[in-house]
Amino acid sequence: LAARVLDRLWLLTGDASYHTRAEASLKGLISISEKLDQHDSGLAIAVASLLWPPTRYVVVATGDDDANARELAAAADRLYDPGKIVVRLMRGRDDEEIARLKLDRKARRAYAVVCHEDRCSEPVRDEASLKKEGSLPAPVGAGRQGTEGKP
């Protein structure tokens, strides 16, 4: 659980030391495990989270009372994307984080970007576009095999 929390902190703050600590804690735990069984499913989930970080939906509002930003955040919350992280930023208050993510600080309307690992989509301004961007394919190796043996 600690490794998953550290990894989420890395995604939320951009501080790579959290990711490094998550990786080190998992390596340490795996190295002392003699036998892994069904009781270690939490460890498998933490490793998967480390290898394939969850999707981040970043909503940038233009001010405190931005109805469009609230609608975009609500749309992101409704999307079926297990483990997703929805981040709400506001121009003025969160300019440092907006700059760190290399997002547009001067937009006149609220927008959202969808980030998979280190790649983020172009800004979107409506629920339909957000759904489209949120349905990008999972990283190679994630997910299930096809029913007929196809990858």
Side-chain angles (χ1 to χ4, degrees):
L1 179 61
R4 291 188 71 199
V5 170
L6 287 168
D7 244 8
R8 283 189 171 258
L9 283 170
W10 163 61
L11 289 169
L12 289 169
T13 66
D15 184 343
S17 68
Y18 289 121
H19 184 66
T20 302
R21 284 187 269 174
E23 187 174 16
S25 68
L26 287 173
K27 284 180 179 178
L29 185 57
I30 290 170
S31 71
I32 63 171
S33 298
E34 292 180 21
K35 178 184 143 200
L36 297 176
D37 58 23
Q38 73 273 13
H39 302 294
D40 299 309
S41 60
L43 180 60
I45 292 170
V47 170
S49 182
L50 184 81
L51 295 174
W52 300 289
T55 305
R56 287 172 293 148
Y57 296 83
V58 182
V59 178
V60 180
T62 57
D64 282 331
D65 189 29
D66 189 333
N68 192 33
R70 283 194 306 275
E71 288 174 20
L72 285 169
D77 285 336
R78 285 191 298 270
L79 289 174
Y80 178 76
D81 188 349
K84 72 179 170 229
I85 297 173
V86 179
V87 180
R88 295 163 180 91
L89 302 176
M90 185 173 59
R91 211 175 63 202
R93 182 191 70 197
D94 299 310
D95 283 346
E96 188 176 312
E97 181 66 5
I98 293 168
R100 183 186 73 78
L101 294 170
K102 298 179 176 106
L103 301 176
D104 183 2
R105 292 183 297 181
K106 297 179 182 178
R108 294 178 186 256
R109 289 183 52 215
Y111 65 91
V113 294
V114 180
C115 302
H116 297 272
E117 296 184 22
D118 61 347
R119 299 176 321 270
C120 292
S121 71
E122 290 295 317
V124 297
R125 290 184 166 78
D126 59 73
E127 185 169 357
S129 300
L130 185 64
K131 283 181 181 179
K132 181 180 173 192
E133 290 297 333
S135 64
L136 293 175
V140 174
R144 302 181 310 157
Q145 291 286 332
T147 57
E148 298 172 11
K150 299 176 186 173

